[in-house]
């Protein structure tokens, strides 16, 4: 049965997806006194250890999604790529937040990009293609440097290729196709930013401070909140927040929206992509803001006041990828924990794989730059090596 109005502690929150984002949302929900169940295909998913019930099923299993919703007062997601039948099935038994239309739009890169540009939001020039001939044309248009991305299912830089001068359309299509692809001009980047917005079903909005992000090979390596003013003028951060607020309003998101942004060499903002779930670039908010992104997620989907998302203290995170566990070198956890303000966050994933996010470190600082330097220093102690890409 559908309900409207506030969903109060003691109620059950259902989450489609039990990865690290589901796990941290569940931990926030528990601390508010909610009960939590998740649905995930992996029986040993990270959320498993902190929830009341873990339904083990494929994301496309509409009956299982309906089962999750039947036992929940509200259903939310930690990933967008849930097949629409399962979303509709869940939505018929409990409010699904964010809504099905925001989810369907954001889970398809081609639809998302078309919507952004139709709505007047700035993004990199792109073309949507679905055969080799159109891909060859697009590679020609964006010569000599572009990104070719699968429209569905990619994350952490997977499902995409950067194509230089000699790119062979047939070969690229064989690797990424069949299906719709988005070809995007490669933007010479001055910086990458993101903005998180929480929105209640009745329309109240809270906009978090702007995050400053460093990616290597398509994977986020570290992030700092707020963006250092030495790098990003205050006015640009404000513009980024206004842009994100406007996208959240137009999409009528019920829950969280993150807008990933590029700053080009001319200092202009371009929207890279959207996410309607908690986001890696806001893990800092567990330390940096009054209300964390995970609390804001719970508050927003339960239609409660969003609270104060302003900065308490600058914080930074660095991701711990599976490569660290696969290397021969031991990890010096004990010595690292001696670094002032440091916290270790591990997701209890059993199998480390290259590029797989296993956990992160967080640290505070008097300034964003000091927080970033401190967390990277801790990372160096942990790994006993200096990574030049950081
Ligand atoms: P996520 O893990 O955020 O879901 P994803 O796999 O969807 O990532 P994108 O966000 O599209 O991938 O790209 C990952 C990173 O690759 C970007 O943050 C940026 O560093 C780089 N990148 C992607 N597209 C472009 C572009 N058009 N120009 C320059 N850099 C780009
Ligand atoms: Mg991205």
């Amino acid at each position: 049965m559908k309900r409207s109005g506030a969903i109060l502690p003691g109620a059950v929150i259902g989450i489609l997806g039990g990865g690290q984002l589901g796990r941290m949302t569940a931990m926030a929900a528990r601390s508010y006194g909610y009960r939590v169940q998740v649905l995930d295909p992996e029986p040993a998913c990270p959320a498993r250890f902190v929830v009341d019930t873990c339904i083990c099923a494929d994301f496309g299993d509409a009956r299982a999604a309906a089962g999750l919703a039947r036992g929940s007062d509200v259903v939310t997601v930690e990933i967008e790529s849930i097949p629409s039948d399962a979303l509709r099935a869940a939505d018929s038994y409990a409010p699904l937040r964010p809504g099905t239309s925001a989810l369907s739009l954001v889970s398809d890169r081609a639809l998302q990009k078309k919507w952004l540009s139709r709505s007047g939001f700035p993004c990199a020039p792109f073309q949507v293609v679905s055969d080799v001939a159109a891909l060859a044309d697009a590679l020609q248009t964006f010569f000599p440097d572009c990104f070719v991305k699968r429209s569905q299912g990619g994350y952490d830089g997977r499902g995409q290729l950067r194509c230089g001068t000699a790119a062979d359309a047939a070969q690229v299509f064989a690797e990424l196709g069949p299906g719709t692809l988005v070809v995007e001009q490669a933007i010479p980047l001055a910086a990458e930013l993101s903005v998180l917005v929480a929105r209640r079903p009745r329309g109240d909005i809270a906009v978090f401070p702007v995050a400053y992000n460093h990616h290597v090979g398509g994977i986020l390596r570290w992030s700092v909140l707020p963006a250092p003013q030495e790098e990003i003028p205050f006015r640009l951060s404000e513009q980024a927040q206004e842009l994100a607020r406007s996208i959240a309003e137009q999409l009528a998101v019920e829950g969280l929206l993150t807008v990933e942004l590029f700053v080009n060499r001319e200092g202009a903002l371009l929207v890279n992509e959207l996410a309607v779930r908690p986001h890696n670039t806001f893990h800092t908010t567990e330390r940096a803001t009054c209300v964390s992104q995970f609390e804001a997620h719970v508050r927003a989907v339960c239609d409660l006041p969003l609270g104060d998302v302003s900065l308490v203290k600058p914080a930074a995170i660095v991701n711990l990828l599976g490569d660290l566990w696969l290397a021969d070198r031991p990890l010096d956890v004990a010595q690292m924990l001696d670094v002032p303000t440091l916290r270790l966050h591990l997701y209890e994933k059993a199998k480390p794989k290259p590029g797989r996010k296993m956990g992160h470190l967080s640290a505070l600082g008097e300034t964003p730059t000091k927080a970033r330097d401190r967390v990277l220093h801790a990372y160096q102690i942990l790994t006993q090596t200096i990574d030049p890409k950081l």
Side-chain angles (χ1 to χ4, degrees), residues 214-296:
H214 179 67
H215 293 80
V216 178
I219 304 183
L220 180 76
R221 299 304 302 275
W222 56 258
S223 176
V224 57
L225 195 88
Q229 283 205 39
E230 311 87 90
E231 310 281 347
I232 303 296
F234 186 64
R235 182 68 202 118
L236 192 64
S237 286
E238 277 188 338
Q239 269 176 28
Q241 287 177 307
E242 283 157 23
L243 192 62
R245 171 190 285 275
S246 165
I247 294 174
E249 274 166 356
Q250 291 202 34
L251 276 181
V253 170
E254 297 179 350
L256 300 182
L257 168 79
T258 295
V259 180
E260 296 181 15
L261 294 159
F262 296 145
V263 183
N264 69 16
R265 295 269 166 82
E266 288 72 49
L269 295 171
L270 298 172
V271 178
N272 171 26
E273 61 172 348
L274 310 177
V276 284
R277 50 165 169 81
H279 197 269
N280 194 175
T281 58
F282 285 90
H283 291 355
T284 45
T285 58
E286 283 196 296
R287 320 279 311 269
T289 51
C290 300
V291 167
S292 76
Q293 67 163 335
F294 304 109
E295 287 175 73

Side-chain angles (χ1 to χ4, degrees), residues 72-120:
S72 303
D73 296 284
V74 61
V75 175
T76 187
V77 302
E78 63 122 40
I79 56 165
E80 288 101 358
S81 53
I82 311 275
S84 52
D85 284 357
L87 291 176
R88 275 196 298 273
D91 195 36
S92 55
Y93 291 102
L96 174 71
R97 297 178 176 151
T100 36
S101 63
L103 274 166
S104 321
L105 186 84
V106 168
S107 63
D108 186 307
R109 198 185 288 276
L111 289 181
Q112 188 193 124
K113 285 253 175 210
K114 285 183 192 165
W115 180 84
L116 283 166
S117 70
R118 204 172 53 238
S119 310

Side-chain angles (χ1 to χ4, degrees), residues 109 147 149 154-158 160 184-187 189 192 215 218 260 262 272-273:
R109 198 185 288 276
F147 284 77
K149 305 180 179 182
Y155 66 99
D156 289 346
R158 288 171 222 192
Q160 54 179 269
E184 254 175 56
Q185 188 159 78
I187 302 298
L189 299 178
E192 291 192 67
H215 293 80
E260 296 181 15
F262 296 145
N272 171 26
E273 61 172 348

